[in-house]
């Protein structure tokens, strides 16, 4: 423990700032944005009224808890995330208990470090940046399973890990319900990493994870022999270590342990860049990155995390770029064998631009599926396509030295422009017209994507067919919470009910993401006229067997 010279409070050994009064304990660079934040106010302690979980009635079998349930006398049900027959995920809120310190998170948006309680004193300041901790406890994730998969967690919890890029386990406990035991683990909320990402983004992640790994090794934490992709996630715009199920805690780490941990992080970075789980020379990576992975994964390795991090920073300073890919487009629309009208509209624009001496192929693809009756549906989808075509023709060629963020922002602007066109027409006509949308901007080897509704985007290659978009539909929600299976969703009588579309509100709700593309990858954009009638494996076979993109569409 470190004793504060001002207030004499006991602090964690690694604390740079006192948790009680915020006094500097030892020098550490403070982010510029962390300066001059107001001091926190200390509201009166509020003791929450706890409803006894034993008073609730549970159904037999591994079913979800009722709304308002209490977990372990410390956490209260907030919402259901996902559910299957062996595992249920909830979001929970910590109950404000007397004589118990709560979980807190740093208020500084550039830090957002989690502070799990150590002792009974309520911490007030971040030990990493010295700024006030939020006075409200954060929303947490509770995993409930039917077998004890969390037996290795208590030693990790007892370490009280505190680092901006670590989401440590918060609590582990078990409860008996109707004669069966449920095992629970509480962790901070985070989301999965994207399937593949830009090189610059992965290099940034490598630096952040290296620094956190160095901290964990100082605490005696060793990664397992293989690094599960679920061990790393995203939260508040930064990458975090999470899911410590395969870790071990050792009193002394050997050089072999340290080198092996660095190899695992390097292999994870290679996977995020290429989609491959074993290393081989990748012709679409810059030579400096191939040399880096060659040393880390099949060569002598990096003897220290500091050496590994320094090499990443050197590569970042060079600014490596992927090779550009050329591509073919095919397009096709058809009303089907039942309807005489076609409420779908489609857009394909192909461009090329010279950027720093390199020719970049650019394709803009959009599919809109109209709703609201024959005439209204056709009008809505046409308005969507016209708005995107107009903004695309004028703005895409004019972008100067565009970046990842600029292309991502453009997708959002185009989606909003399309939504505005349909919304205004809907208000003027006094009807319920609307439209789904899948939108893609493919530049070089990167796709910037957006969607709203139940039209879909697939990534297809010889190994798999992967749905990149998530349907904004009632049946997809029922699948995600375990009420029905994916097969049942295909024939469900309410499969056409969607909860997001263009034109319904002044501001559209849509999902945006990017996808790294590799040789022999295919992107499929389609309305539910295809995906609801042809199963995914059949779609994959047609695409792979076709002689060209146009032949596959035909």
């Amino acid at each position: 423990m470190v004793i504060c010279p001002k207030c004499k409070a006991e602090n964690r050994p690694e604390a740079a700032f006192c948790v009680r009064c915020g006094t500097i304990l030892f020098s550490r660079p403070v982010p510029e944005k962390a300066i001059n934040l107001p001091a926190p106010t200390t509201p009166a302690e509020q003791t929450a009224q706890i409803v006894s979980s034993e008073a609730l009635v549970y159904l037999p079998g591994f079913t979800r808890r009722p709304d308002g349930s209490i977990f372990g006398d410390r956490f209260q049900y907030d919402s259901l995330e996902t559910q299957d027959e062996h595992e249920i995920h909830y979001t929970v809120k910590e109950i404000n208990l007397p004589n118990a310190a709560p979980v807190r998170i740093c208020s500084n948006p550039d830090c957002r470090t989690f502070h799990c309680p150590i002792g009974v004193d309520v911490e007030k300041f971040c030990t990493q940046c010295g700024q006030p901790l939020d006075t409200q406890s954060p929303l947490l994730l509770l995993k409930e399973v039917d077998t004890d998969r969390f037996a290795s967690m208590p030693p990790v919890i007892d370490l009280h890990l505190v680092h901006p890029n670590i989401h440590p386990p918060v609590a582990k406990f078990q409860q008996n319900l109707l004669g069966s035991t449920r095992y629970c683990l509480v962790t901070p909320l985070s989301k999965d990493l994207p399937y593949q990402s830009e090189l610059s983004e992965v290099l940034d992640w490598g630096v952040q994870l290296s620094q956190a790994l160095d901290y964990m090794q100082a605490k005696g934490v060793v990664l397992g022999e293989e690094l599960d992709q679920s061990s790393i996630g995203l939260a508040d715009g930064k990458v975090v270590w999470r899911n410590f199920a395969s870790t071990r805690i050792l009193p002394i780490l050997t050089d072999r342990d340290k080198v092996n941990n660095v190899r695992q992080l390097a292999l994870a970075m290679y996977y995020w860049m290429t989609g491959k789980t074993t290393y081989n020379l990748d012709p679409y990576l810059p030579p400096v990155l191939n040399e880096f992975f060659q040393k880390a994964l099949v060569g002598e390795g990096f003897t220290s995390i500091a050496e590994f991090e320094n090499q990443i920073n050197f590569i970042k300073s060079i600014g490596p770029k992927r090779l550009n890919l050329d591509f073919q487009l095919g397009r096709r629309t058809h009303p089907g064998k039942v309807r005489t009208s076609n409420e779908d509209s489609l857009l394909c624009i192909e461009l090329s631009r010279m950027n720093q001496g390199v020719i970049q192929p650019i394709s803009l693809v959009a599919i809109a599926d109209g709703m609201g009756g024959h005439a209204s549906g056709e009008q809505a989808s046409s308005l969507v396509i016209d708005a995107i075509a107009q903004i695309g023709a004028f703005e895409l060629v004019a972008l100067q030295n565009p970046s990842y963020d600029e292309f991502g922002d453009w997708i959002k602007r185009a989606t909003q422009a399309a939504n505005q066109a349909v919304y205004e027409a809907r208000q003027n006509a006094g009807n319920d017209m609307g439209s789904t949308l899948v939108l893609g901007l493919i530049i070089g080897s990167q796709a910037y994507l957006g969607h709203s509704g139940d039209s879909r985007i697939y990534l297809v290659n010889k190994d798999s067919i992967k749905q990149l978009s998530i349907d904004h539909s009632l049946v997809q929600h029922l699948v995600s919470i375990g009420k029905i299976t994916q097969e049942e969703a295909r024939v469900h009588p309410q499969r056409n009910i969607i909860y997001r579309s263009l034109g319904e509100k002044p501001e559209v709700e849509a999902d945006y993401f990017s996808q790294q593309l590799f040789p022999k990858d295919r992107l499929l954009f389609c309305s539910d006229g295809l995906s609801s009638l042809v199963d995914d494996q059949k779609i994959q076979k047609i695409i792979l067997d076709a002689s060209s993109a146009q032949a596959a569409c035909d």
Side-chain angles (χ1 to χ4, degrees), residues 69-383:
S69 292
I70 303 298
F71 300 84
D73 295 332
R74 180 179 169 187
F75 305 98
Q76 185 165 23
Y77 178 106
D78 176 75
S79 66
L80 177 67
E81 288 284 293
T82 61
Q83 175 181 354
D84 63 31
E85 58 182 337
H86 299 292
E87 184 167 351
I88 307 174
H89 290 187
Y90 310 87
T91 57
V92 295
K93 295 179 180 177
E94 192 171 19
I95 298 168
N96 198 2
L97 296 171
N99 303 317
V103 177
R104 289 286 187 259
I105 187 171
C106 179
S107 61
N108 176 10
D110 293 328
C111 181
R112 301 300 283 169
T113 300
F114 263 83
H115 291 67
C116 295
I118 178 170
V120 296
D121 290 338
V122 177
E123 296 181 331
K124 298 178 182 179
F125 294 91
C126 178
T127 60
Q128 300 296 302
C129 71
Q131 296 308 306
L133 301 181
D134 283 346
T135 56
Q136 298 296 320
S137 294
L139 203 62
L140 301 167
L141 176 68
L142 187 145
K143 300 177 182 179
E144 184 176 56
V145 298
D146 57 2
T147 57
D148 192 2
R149 303 182 213 162
F150 310 131
S152 62
M153 288 296 102
V156 182
I157 295 171
D158 291 341
L159 289 175
H160 302 286
L161 300 174
V162 179
H163 191 280
N165 300 104
I166 296 177
H167 268 192
V170 173
K172 185 258 182 184
F173 54 91
Q174 61 190 57
Q175 290 183 287
N176 292 320
L177 299 174
L178 292 177
S180 65
T181 303
R182 298 190 178 205
Y183 302 89
C184 300
L185 179 71
V186 180
T187 67
L189 275 172
S190 60
K191 61 182 181 180
D192 294 339
L193 293 177
Y195 177 60
Q196 285 160 351
S197 302
E198 286 201 335
L199 300 186
S200 59
E201 188 173 39
V202 174
L203 292 172
D204 287 340
W205 292 348
V207 171
Q208 297 170 37
L209 292 171
S210 296
Q211 295 169 352
L213 183 59
D214 190 37
Y215 169 84
M216 289 193 294
Q217 288 188 352
K219 293 285 189 178
V221 178
V222 180
L223 305 178
E225 289 301 316
E226 293 185 4
L227 182 62
D228 192 305
Q229 286 296 316
S230 66
S231 299
I232 301 170
L234 287 176
D236 293 314
K238 64 185 179 185
V239 67
V240 293
W241 290 100
R242 61 178 191 176
N243 184 10
F244 291 80
S246 62
T247 58
R248 295 171 294 144
I249 300 174
L250 302 177
I252 299 177
L253 272 67
T254 66
D255 290 340
R256 179 186 177 279
D257 291 325
K258 295 178 180 179
V259 171
N260 185 53
N261 282 187
V262 174
R263 287 188 191 276
Q264 290 179 72
L265 177 53
L267 183 58
M269 293 174 62
Y270 180 73
Y271 171 76
W272 298 330
M273 290 182 182
T274 67
K276 295 185 286 189
T277 56
T278 56
Y279 174 74
N280 51 61
L281 188 69
D282 191 298
Y284 293 92
L285 286 180
V288 67
L289 276 173
N290 272 311
E291 292 172 7
F292 171 73
F293 289 120
Q294 174 79 20
K295 178 179 179 180
L297 299 174
V298 299
E300 68 272 23
F302 290 89
T303 57
S304 69
I305 293 178
E307 182 190 4
F308 182 73
E309 183 183 341
N310 288 338
Q311 186 63 27
I312 296 175
N313 283 321
F314 169 72
I315 295 171
K316 286 177 61 179
S317 69
I318 298 175
K321 301 292 184 183
R322 295 185 193 274
L323 297 180
N324 277 321
L325 301 180
D326 206 349
F327 37 80
Q328 300 177 346
L329 273 77
R331 76 278 300 163
R332 182 76 165 180
T333 184
H334 194 278
K337 297 183 177 181
V338 176
R339 299 182 181 179
T340 57
S341 62
N342 189 347
E343 296 180 357
D344 291 355
S345 293
L346 180 151
L347 171 70
C348 287
I349 297 178
E350 296 182 65
L351 303 168
S352 292
R353 61 174 287 157
M354 180 78 75
N355 186 25
Q356 299 178 349
V358 178
I359 295 177
Q360 286 185 319
I362 300 175
S363 285
L364 176 61
V365 178
I367 290 178
D369 182 1
M371 303 172 294
H374 165 47
S376 296
E378 287 186 356
Q379 182 184 2
S381 64
S382 294
L383 288 169

